[in-house]
Every structure is written in C-alpha cells, then in structure tokens.
Amino acid sequence: MILTRCSVLSLRTLTRLPVCSIHTTLRRLNKDFAFVFDIDGVLIRGKKPILQAKPALEILNQHKIPYILMTNGGGVLEKVKADEVTHITGIDPPISPLQVVQSHTPIKALALNYGYNRVLVIGGDGDNAREVAKDYGFQDIILPIDIVNENPAVSPHHRFTEEDFRKYAKPIDVSKPIDAILVLNDPRDMGTDIQIVQDLLNSEVGVLGTKRNIHHIRNLEEPAVPIIFSNNDYLYANDYKLPRFGQGEFRIITEKLYKVTNNLKKHQKLESFILGKPYKIQYDFAHHVLIDWHNKLIKDEHLANHEQVLPQLGTEPEDTPFKKIYMVGDNPESDIKGANDNGWESVLLRTGVYKDDDYDTMIAKPTVGVFNNVEDAVIEILESNGIKV
C-alpha cells in the first residue's frame, strides 16, 4: 500500500510513548545525519561486490544511522534491486525495498497525479518494465515488443526472437492513442526503441502509424505525446575497465533525430521531462523517502511496515530530522553535482567512474572529499560526527 502524504514524527508524539520507548527514540534522534549511497561504482560493480560495501553498511546498521540507496539505474521493481544488492554485497539484515530509489521510482508519485492511462514503456529485460509500470499503478501498458508483434515491419531489423514474442508480447489495439512514453531504463533493442519512440513523438495525437503535419504545429519543440526520461546518465560503471553508455545516450539520439525530423532551429530542442540525479526533483523525492525510513527506524517498523509514505512529486520536505545528508557516489556529474546543488554533503569515491586525472576538470567537487572506498568514507564521516567506530 502507498500513502500519498509525507509526515515526520513530532516531539509531541514522543511524550505519549512509554518511558522506555522515549529513551530509545530520543537516543536515535540524536543522530541528525543520514547517508544516501549510489549503487554501481559504490557498493557493487556490475554483478560483483565492492568488498568494502558490506562492512560500511554493517557499521551504519550497528549504529542505527538511516541510509537509502539512490541509483540512476532501474528497469526492475525496487524489491528486485534491493534483493540484488543484498545478495551481491552479502549484507544482513537485507536491504529493504523502501530504502531503494531508482531513477524511475518517483514515477510512483507521477502515476497518482498526472492521469496517464495508456503508456509506452522503454527499457529493461523481458517484461520487467511492464511489471514495474503495473506496480506503480498504470493500467494499460505497452512494450515495443507488443508493437513489433502486431506488425514486424515497424522495425524490420528488430532483435526479438520467436521465444521472446511467446514469452513477453501482449496483444494490443494499435488504433488507440498512447498518452505518454516512459523511458525506465536503457533500451535493449536500440534500433527498435528509437524507431517507435520517434514514430510516437511525431504522430497524430499518439496514434501509431500516423504522422502529424508539422506545418500546422505552433510549437514544434513540443512532441505529440510527452516523453519522460528516468535519468540522464550517458556513462556508468560496471565490471568492465571503461565506463559504458547508459540511458543518456538514448536521450541524446532521441533529441537529435527529433530536431532533424522537425527542422528545429539551432536553439530549439525536444521538450521532455527528465528524472534522476542530478535533478532537484529526484533529490527532493529521495529526501522524503529518507525521512520515511528514518521514522520507521524510530518506531522499529523498518522490518515489518511496508507502507511507504510518498510525497507529491516536486515538493520539498517541509520538516526534516537531518542537519546533514551525505551523498556518497562515484560520478561527479550526477552524484556530486546533484548533492551540491541541493544542499547535501557530497562524497566522491575512486571505485567507479571517477578517476583522479579528472579532478581539475570536474563539473562539481565533493564537499567532504575523495576516498578510496565506501568504508573509508563512512568511518571518517562517523568519527567527524562524534561516533567512535
């Protein structure tokens, strides 16, 4: 169940608790800081653990210091990502789904308020993206494989197999308009996804197989249907020695093709909505999630209570128990810039995208410093806050 407003435990509430609960709660409230960790390049690399991740998280669990994970990755349910990080790092107790903010997690709140009914969902393996969108509350969900299954000529060089069609494709009515495009993760069949997305952006009110007359469009920067990119990272770290292209690559290609198709002028570009780090909307949402997790820790509900308090998308927390939030990441352009822009402390690690040779030319510098690994960073920060490790 998802609640749609955010609240913080007040001191008045504490006065109504039993004495033993008051003392326990107040002791925890004395820790007025929290951590937010990127995942890839900080806790894991691809499917391999970063060895210092487990002891770092164990230290925070031991001292009951709230933390969440915020990644520009996605394409799966938050529970799947939580289980994956738990398994790879070996951390116990396991990471809760309520501690995970993926690039598309704020779409949970978007689904409640924007009234999109029929959506095209891009990215992820198999039909994971359909499962995510359904879990978020969307009812009529289309994948590119559904469209190709109806008419393979839509993407003559598609990479889907007969087994893919049998396992993942759903019958659809292609005559019904699509309300929005949600890019939840990196495309798996780039050629197909590029073609279908461009078709819809330039369609007649979202109907597949149609093309609008650009001479009758007042604002050519506005597409026929809105497109939402869940993150803007064009590089990320996995277990290869060099960074790999991510969803930001797809956005760049999409924007360029749209510009050429619509003869946009040099200063014009496709209008889109971008989530993920380093944007304020993502950091405000993560702040709300962190407050909710903090409140569950206070009440010892973090293992049993699976109701997540979600904010209205785009709202800042009106009250927070945190004087400092430490964003620990490996990517200066997303983790560090986003933290700095939103008043958080920023911590940069050498275990991912960042290389020391890049320091002088980075878009943003960490406010706390550069560390070899996440354990070193956590220990130094805790000790600077008066907690002996």
Side-chain angles (χ1 to χ4, degrees):
M1 179 180 178
I2 295 175
L3 305 182
T4 57
R5 62 183 180 86
C6 187
S7 61
V8 178
L9 191 69
S10 68
L11 290 177
R12 288 193 299 274
T13 304
L14 298 182
T15 63
R16 296 194 294 270
L17 296 174
V19 172
C20 60
S21 297
I22 295 174
H23 291 166
T24 301
T25 303
L26 287 176
R27 184 165 64 248
R28 292 176 189 169
L29 281 175
N30 285 336
K31 293 161 185 160
D32 54 4
F33 63 95
F35 286 83
V36 178
F37 296 100
D38 184 28
I39 296 178
D40 288 305
V42 172
L43 304 178
I44 62 177
R45 285 193 67 122
K47 301 300 181 182
K48 298 178 182 178
I50 291 174
L51 297 181
Q52 295 83 7
K54 181 180 179 181
L57 299 182
E58 286 176 340
I59 291 169
L60 296 181
N61 287 339
Q62 177 187 351
H63 291 277
K64 296 190 181 298
I65 296 170
Y67 66 88
I68 64 171
L69 314 184
M70 180 164 65
T71 174
N72 269 358
V76 295
L77 294 171
E78 283 69 25
K79 184 182 186 310
V80 173
K81 180 59 69 174
D83 290 347
E84 178 187 41
V85 176
T86 297
H87 174 72
I88 294 175
T89 62
I91 186 65
D92 188 36
I95 302 292
S96 167
L98 304 187
Q99 287 178 277
V100 176
V101 176
Q102 300 183 101
S103 61
H104 51 67
T105 304
I107 292 176
K108 286 183 183 181
L110 187 72
L112 295 172
N113 299 301
Y114 276 69
Y116 298 141
N117 182 35
R118 196 175 215 216
V119 294
L120 175 74
V121 179
I122 302 291
D125 296 316
D127 60 355
N128 285 337
R130 196 194 313 269
E131 186 179 6
V132 170
K134 183 177 180 181
D135 184 71
Y136 287 2
F138 295 101
Q139 301 299 316
D140 193 352
I141 303 155
I142 298 173
L143 302 185
I145 193 172
D146 302 333
I147 298 170
V148 177
N149 187 49
E150 290 292 325
N151 186 350
V154 167
S155 180
H157 305 300
H158 70 79
R159 309 302 297 168
F160 301 122
T161 66
E162 289 302 317
E163 183 180 4
D164 291 333
F165 287 124
R166 285 195 302 271
K167 290 175 63 176
Y168 306 123
K170 305 291 185 186
I172 60 170
D173 181 355
V174 295
S175 68
K176 291 174 58 179
I178 291 172
D179 298 324
I181 302 168
L182 309 178
V183 186
L184 299 190
N185 196 239
D186 307 351
R188 297 304 195 264
D189 184 340
M190 181 73 80
T192 296
D193 292 351
I194 287 173
Q195 182 67 72
I196 291 175
V197 166
Q198 289 298 318
D199 285 348
L200 280 176
L201 294 178
N202 294 286
S203 66
E204 188 68 40
V205 296
V207 177
L208 287 163
T210 65
K211 185 172 177 59
R212 64 182 182 175
N213 188 337
I214 63 174
H215 301 296
H216 296 164
I217 306 299
R218 180 177 299 177
N219 178 16
L220 285 174
E221 293 178 282
E222 181 180 353
V225 298
I227 182 168
I228 300 165
F229 296 98
S230 67
N231 81 71
N232 201 35
D233 281 358
Y234 81 98
L235 292 177
Y236 74 99
N238 67 355
D239 48 0
Y240 190 64
K241 61 184 178 181
L242 296 176
R244 302 290 82 194
F245 288 130
Q247 190 185 133
E249 173 198 23
F250 182 69
R251 182 193 60 78
I252 291 169
I253 295 171
T254 298
E255 288 182 347
K256 180 63 176 178
L257 286 173
Y258 184 86
K259 190 179 188 76
V260 171
T261 300
N262 290 280
N263 298 317
L264 297 186
K265 297 177 182 177
K266 185 176 181 179
H267 67 279
Q268 295 179 305
K269 63 181 293 187
L270 168 68
E271 290 182 1
S272 64
F273 188 52
I274 306 176
L275 298 170
K277 298 175 289 184
Y279 298 104
K280 176 177 171 55
I281 192 168
Q282 197 79 4
Y283 280 79
D284 284 340
F285 183 87
H287 196 160
H288 283 291
V289 171
L290 190 55
I291 292 171
D292 182 46
W293 185 248
H294 167 269
N295 291 343
K296 287 178 171 56
L297 286 177
I298 288 175
K299 301 174 185 177
D300 280 325
E301 294 179 348
H302 55 292
L303 298 179
N305 185 353
H306 301 296
E307 295 181 349
Q308 187 169 40
V309 178
L310 289 180
Q312 181 82 17
L313 194 61
T315 60
E316 297 181 11
E318 295 181 358
D319 193 9
T320 178
F322 308 120
K323 291 183 178 178
K324 289 185 178 180
I325 298 175
Y326 293 93
M327 176 76 229
V328 183
D330 69 306
N331 191 328
E333 292 191 7
S334 58
D335 304 317
I336 305 308
K337 185 178 189 305
N340 293 354
D341 288 350
N342 290 282
W344 294 9
E345 300 295 331
S346 54
V347 181
L348 184 59
L349 304 185
R350 296 186 173 96
T351 49
V353 169
Y354 166 75
K355 298 294 181 286
D356 283 333
D357 290 345
D358 301 329
Y359 189 85
D360 290 338
T361 58
M362 287 190 324
I363 191 171
K365 304 289 194 298
T367 61
V368 176
V370 181
F371 294 83
N372 288 330
N373 57 69
V374 65
E375 184 182 15
D376 288 351
V378 165
I379 290 173
E380 182 162 322
I381 291 169
L382 291 189
E383 291 182 345
S384 73
N385 281 276
I387 297 176
K388 185 175 178 59
V389 178

